[in-house]
Amino acid sequence: MNRRIVRGALAGALLALVPAISACSTGEDAPAAEAAETVAFDGSHVSAASFAVAAAEDGVTIVDVRTPAEYAEGHLPGAVNIDVSAADFTTQVAALDPEADYAVYCRSGNRSRAAIDVMTGEGVENTVGLEGGIGAWTGDVVTD
């Protein structure tokens, strides 16, 4: 079965249960409901908090589409650098597993949108972008 359909069905079931469970709650479990947030890998751009949830999922590859120089100045932990402005970007994307999930970011969100468009065109559809790029990121950043 298509992973997106399964993920959507599970997310829908979770969303249906959360209000029912919350109605019975004393309020002490509110953080648990937030921790249960799921992010759809549907090519959309999401907040830094939602991107962090997506990036933390098992098997997700974090992709920094900035230049190697920008990447070296600071990037998300575990991110791989695939420069969207490189002449071989399409070739590099074509080598990616089209069934895998990718969390994509750049400096401000513009290049990641372009990168996601190319990725989708190459058959890599399970993507999510960071709205506002690394400038909106509040988590750890590492340098080379």
Side-chain angles (χ1 to χ4, degrees):
M1 184 178 281
N2 185 321
R3 287 173 46 185
R4 227 186 256 153
I5 292 171
V6 172
R7 186 180 291 133
L10 290 173
L14 178 63
L15 289 174
L17 288 174
V18 169
I21 294 169
S22 296
C24 298
S25 174
T26 62
E28 295 175 23
D29 296 328
E34 291 174 21
E37 176 185 5
T38 59
V39 177
F41 285 80
D42 60 3
S44 63
H45 274 63
V46 298
S47 69
S50 293
F51 189 85
V53 169
E57 287 189 22
D58 286 341
V60 171
T61 300
I62 304 169
V63 181
D64 184 323
V65 297
R66 299 174 301 153
T67 66
E70 290 173 299
Y71 177 85
E73 290 174 0
H75 55 273
L76 276 59
V80 296
N81 185 217
I82 306 176
D83 181 1
V84 70
S85 64
D88 66 341
F89 180 72
T90 303
T91 303
Q92 291 183 60
V93 167
L96 296 174
D97 177 359
E99 298 298 317
D101 294 331
Y102 298 92
V104 183
Y105 74 94
C106 62
R107 182 181 57 83
S108 65
N110 293 325
R111 287 179 281 178
S112 57
R113 281 185 173 77
I116 287 173
D117 286 346
V118 172
M119 293 170 80
T120 301
E122 291 297 314
V124 179
E125 297 182 358
N126 301 327
T127 59
V128 65
L130 174 56
E131 185 66 44
I134 198 167
W137 183 249
T138 58
D140 292 339
V141 174
V142 296
T143 58
D144 289 342

